[in-house]
Amino acid sequence: MKHNPRLIKSILLVLLVALTALAQHAFLPAAGAAHTAYLLLSLTTAIAMRERETRAAVFGLLAGALWDIASPLPDGVLALFFLVFACGASLLAHFVFRQSLLSAAVLCGGGCALLALLLFAFSRAGIAAFFPLLFGSFLPCLLLTAISLPVFYFAVRAIDRKWFAAPGNQT
């Protein structure tokens, strides 16, 4: 039986996205975490750095759909955001930036800012609550996301190198 490396890699990445969603929405809040990192955003950034636009968009859609399940926002908002973000990050990573941890940090930081603006736009808080939300909620989440990004970046890179180390396997 011949093994398809792209299929095995995709299965591993889907499992990683599902486990990350569980950690972000179930395990960390149950453990008493006051602020949780945007783990799915940092994972989506790491995947988008290594995948082409279409595959990155599919993984972004999966991550957004899993976040939508646990979110009070209207259905599909986060799925659409993650789809567009993953596709854009993949395009930028392949045509503008180099594939490095610094580039991933820039893309993830921009994604965090856009996600925070999206979450604020759908919140019921007025404009007067912007700065308290910024310093009380967004910045701790941004710092935790920045800490989690290298873990996901090197994990996705290891999966990519493991399953695509043989010549002739192209992403």
Side-chain angles (χ1 to χ4, degrees), residues 2 6 13 22 28 31 45 50 52 59 72 80 82 90 94 100 102 106 108 110 112 119-120 129 135 166 170:
K2 184 177 177 181
R6 181 171 286 187
L13 290 176
L22 277 174
L28 291 177
T45 305
R50 306 298 291 187
R52 300 304 294 178
F59 285 111
L80 180 63
F82 273 85
S90 178
H94 287 94
S100 66
L102 181 61
V106 169
C108 189
C112 279
L119 294 175
F120 179 74
F135 293 114
Q170 302 294 325

Side-chain angles (χ1 to χ4, degrees), residues 60-61 63-65 67-68 71 73-83 115 118-119:
L61 181 65
W67 195 330
D68 263 336
S71 173
L73 295 179
D75 289 339
V77 169
L78 290 170
L80 180 63
F81 171 79
F82 273 85
L83 178 123
L115 182 60
L118 179 74
L119 294 175

Side-chain angles (χ1 to χ4, degrees), residues 1 12 20 26 33 35 38-39 71 82 86 89 94-95 115 117-118 124 127 133 148 151 155 159 164 167 169:
M1 178 178 197
L12 288 174
T20 302
H35 298 286
Y38 301 144
L39 296 177
S71 173
F82 273 85
H94 287 94
F95 295 113
L115 182 60
L117 286 174
L118 179 74
R124 303 246 188 261
I127 197 73
L133 281 175
S148 69
V151 174
I159 290 171
F164 282 93
N169 292 331

Side-chain angles (χ1 to χ4, degrees), residues 34-58:
H35 298 286
T36 58
Y38 301 144
L39 296 177
L40 285 172
L41 185 68
S42 58
L43 177 59
T44 301
T45 305
I47 290 172
M49 293 290 293
R50 306 298 291 187
E51 297 290 338
R52 300 304 294 178
E53 310 78 56
T54 308
R55 289 176 54 86
V58 169

Side-chain angles (χ1 to χ4, degrees), residues 14-29:
V14 165
L15 287 174
L16 188 59
V17 169
L19 290 174
T20 302
L22 277 174
Q24 179 175 331
H25 299 298
F27 299 142
L28 291 177

